């Protein structure tokens, strides 16, 4: 794996460790490695990162478990699913229309978290799935949400550029992201072209839940870059039509 692809791979492996602990409860790093297929040295490194984030803890050197913070995050995700229920109802229609995977993500601080998807073709190539997050500078959902921020929040976020890239297509500088924000506002949707995962693209449009004005959500469609590039305008039009019909 190239250095530029490591953040995505590390995120996927960390999620596998979390899912393994959620399924089996307290486990040793060796048992996690056996159950997940991840090398033991990598498991130790991932557990260290999860511990620093407050998501995992060690009873001793041989037993790791998840913390209640992860339960709180899960509760928040479940609450978000209820809040955005009217929007989730349109995802099956979008996936049926194009055969591609559709997502609902909501902004949480400097990230967007996927709370629902309807699976389509090419699913194995997609990094985004329920419970996973992407920063605001990456992917269609994040960049749509970034463009929708008010001036103060947007400038505060951009002041921290450059951001860590996922690969050589990632938009990481203030100048690149400012230009993309202008494009999103002019066209009404975000267009991700392999900026998170090579070979994968996405289109995303921000939406508001009438029950929670001001919240930033995003309906997006992801798939192989050729399909997305050939259909991005029509994808955006269909998403917009579905959102308007709620």
């Amino acid at each position: 794996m190239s250095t530029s692809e490591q953040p995505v791979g590390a995120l996927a492996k960390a999620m596998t460790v979390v899912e393994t602990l959620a399924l089996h409860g307290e486990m040793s790093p060796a048992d996690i490695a056996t159950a997940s297929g991840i090398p033991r040295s990598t498991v130790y490194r991932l557990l260290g990162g999860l511990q620093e984030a407050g998501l995992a803890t060690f009873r001793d050197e041989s037993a790791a478990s998840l913390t209640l913070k992860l339960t709180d995050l899960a509760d928040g995700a479940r609450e978000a699913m209820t809040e955005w229920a009217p929007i989730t109802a349109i995802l099956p229609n979008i996936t049926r229309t194009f055969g591609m995977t559709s997502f609902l993500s909501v902004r949480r601080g400097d990230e967007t978290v996927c709370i629902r998807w309807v699976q389509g073709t090419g699913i194995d190539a997609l990094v985004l799935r329920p419970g996973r997050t992407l920063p605001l500078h990456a992917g269609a959902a994040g960049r749509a949400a970034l463009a929708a921020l008010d001036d103060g929040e947007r400038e505060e976020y951009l002041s921290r550029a450059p951001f860590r890239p996922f690969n050589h297509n990632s938009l990481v500088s203030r100048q690149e992201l400012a230009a993309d924000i202008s494009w999103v506002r002019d066209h009404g949707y975000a267009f991700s072209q392999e900026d998170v995962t090579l070979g994968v693209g996405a289109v995303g449009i921000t939406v508001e839940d009438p029950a929670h004005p001001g919240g930033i959500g995003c309906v997006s469609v992801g798939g192989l870059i050729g399909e997305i590039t050939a259909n991005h305008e029509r994808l955006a039009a269909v998403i917009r039509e579905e959102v308007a019909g709620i």
Side-chain angles (χ1 to χ4, degrees):
M1 179 183 295
S2 69
T3 301
S4 61
E5 294 175 301
Q6 285 179 359
V8 174
L11 176 61
K13 289 176 182 176
M15 284 301 301
T16 298
V17 170
V18 168
E19 291 163 356
T20 301
L21 287 171
L23 179 64
H24 298 285
E26 187 177 78
M27 299 177 73
S28 71
D31 288 339
I32 294 172
T34 299
S36 66
I38 298 173
R40 189 183 305 186
S41 60
T42 303
V43 169
Y44 274 106
R45 184 169 64 253
L46 294 171
L47 286 172
L50 291 170
Q51 185 175 32
E52 287 185 21
L55 300 177
T57 185
F58 285 97
R59 178 170 55 81
D60 52 43
E61 288 300 316
S62 62
S65 60
L66 300 177
T67 67
L68 291 178
K69 181 177 179 180
L70 201 59
T71 302
D72 293 339
L73 291 173
D75 289 342
R78 281 191 291 270
E79 182 181 349
M81 289 178 194
T82 302
E83 292 176 1
W84 294 90
I87 308 298
T88 64
I90 70 176
L91 299 185
N93 296 338
I94 295 171
T95 293
R96 276 195 298 270
T97 299
F98 293 99
M100 302 179 195
T101 301
S102 57
F103 306 88
L104 172 62
S105 302
V106 296
R107 181 200 169 202
R108 290 291 184 265
D110 290 343
E111 300 176 318
T112 55
V113 56
C114 177
I115 63 172
R116 185 75 74 186
W117 69 351
V118 174
Q119 297 180 39
T121 58
I123 191 65
D124 291 341
L126 303 178
V127 170
L128 192 62
R129 55 198 62 206
R132 293 189 177 175
T133 63
L134 285 172
L136 295 182
H137 72 275
R143 292 198 276 112
L146 178 59
L149 294 180
D150 62 41
D151 291 345
E153 287 184 298
R154 187 177 63 257
E155 287 304 310
E156 193 281 327
Y157 184 81
L158 292 178
S159 70
R160 287 179 264 145
F163 299 99
R164 186 174 183 178
F166 287 86
N167 60 53
H168 63 274
N169 295 314
S170 300
L171 307 182
V172 296
S173 72
R174 182 188 183 97
Q175 183 178 9
E176 289 173 323
L177 289 167
D180 185 69
I181 288 167
S182 295
W183 193 96
V184 173
R185 290 184 168 186
D186 288 344
H187 292 79
Y189 63 95
F191 181 19
S192 169
Q193 301 180 74
E194 302 183 277
D195 66 311
V196 175
T197 305
L198 296 176
V200 171
V203 168
I205 291 179
T206 53
V207 295
E208 289 189 7
D209 184 341
H212 299 82
I216 297 178
C218 181
V219 174
S220 60
V221 177
L224 299 179
I225 187 62
E227 294 178 285
I228 295 294
T229 299
N231 295 285
H232 64 95
E233 293 180 345
R234 183 165 173 253
L235 281 164
V238 168
I239 296 172
R240 194 176 293 113
E241 182 179 346
E242 289 287 345
V243 170
I246 295 174

